[in-house]
Amino acid sequence: MNAPTPYYVQAGPLATRFNSLFGKLARLGISLAGSAELSVRGRKSGQMQRIPVNPHTYEGEQYLVSARGHSQWVRNMRVAGGGELRVGRKVRTFTATEITDPVQKAALLRAYLEKWGWEVNRFFQGVTAQSSDAELQATAGDHPVFRITMSN
């Protein structure tokens, strides 16, 4: 029996253009609502891959949440174990630890959706910041979360 395909909403052409624009803005030093450009080494190519992300601070720690699910940057992060966040000339190197506990992830996802829901709710299949703990825990496996620790 085959394992189910991990949840992933691939970006369409319009979203790809917006991501490119937001990435360029971050490289120029313009952060929209706290966004930054993530660079992570590709697991196959070995080249740095870049994508805009919304770093999220929760209880004094920083996290990256993949609203779209098990995306390419998530797969790369699992192999690389870290990367860089850039806004303008400020580049911060970090290591990443994936959070796997659904109870812990549910609290993080609720806080993330409170801040970023206006942008990402459509990827959470009806789950919002107002959803029950059980609903958030049920969707936790579809949305990888990494705690990031800055090196510089």
Side-chain angles (χ1 to χ4, degrees):
M1 185 171 159
N2 292 338
T5 303
Y7 177 78
Y8 174 45
V9 178
Q10 189 167 355
L14 184 60
T16 300
R17 284 192 187 113
F18 276 117
N19 281 346
S20 177
L21 173 64
F22 293 140
K24 279 184 182 174
L25 289 173
R27 281 192 303 280
L28 292 171
I30 301 168
S31 173
L32 301 175
S35 64
E37 184 180 64
L38 167 67
S39 294
V40 61
R41 189 160 307 283
R43 65 194 182 284
K44 295 178 184 176
S45 70
Q47 302 297 313
M48 293 302 272
Q49 306 296 312
R50 301 183 312 202
I51 186 165
V53 293
N54 299 322
H56 181 66
T57 301
Y58 177 73
E59 294 185 346
E61 302 276 349
Q62 277 210 298
Y63 296 87
L64 294 176
V65 175
S66 180
R68 292 179 177 270
H70 297 266
S71 63
Q72 295 303 316
W73 77 258
V74 167
R75 296 170 198 188
N76 291 336
M77 186 70 68
R78 287 177 175 147
V79 173
E84 298 174 345
L85 289 176
R86 171 187 297 272
V87 176
R89 293 182 183 189
K90 185 175 183 179
V91 178
R92 299 177 298 153
T93 304
F94 66 87
T95 57
T97 305
E98 189 164 5
I99 306 300
T100 57
D101 175 48
V103 174
Q104 184 181 10
K105 281 178 70 174
L108 286 160
L109 290 174
R110 182 181 309 283
Y112 179 78
L113 289 169
E114 285 171 354
K115 180 171 183 180
W116 296 103
W118 61 273
E119 182 181 353
V120 301
N121 271 346
R122 67 186 179 278
F123 303 121
F124 281 80
Q125 305 175 81
V127 174
T128 69
Q130 290 73 39
S131 295
S132 70
D133 289 345
E135 291 169 317
L136 285 159
Q137 289 172 25
T139 197
D142 289 340
H143 302 282
V145 176
F146 295 88
R147 180 177 45 249
I148 58 175
T149 305
M150 297 302 163
S151 306
N152 57 352

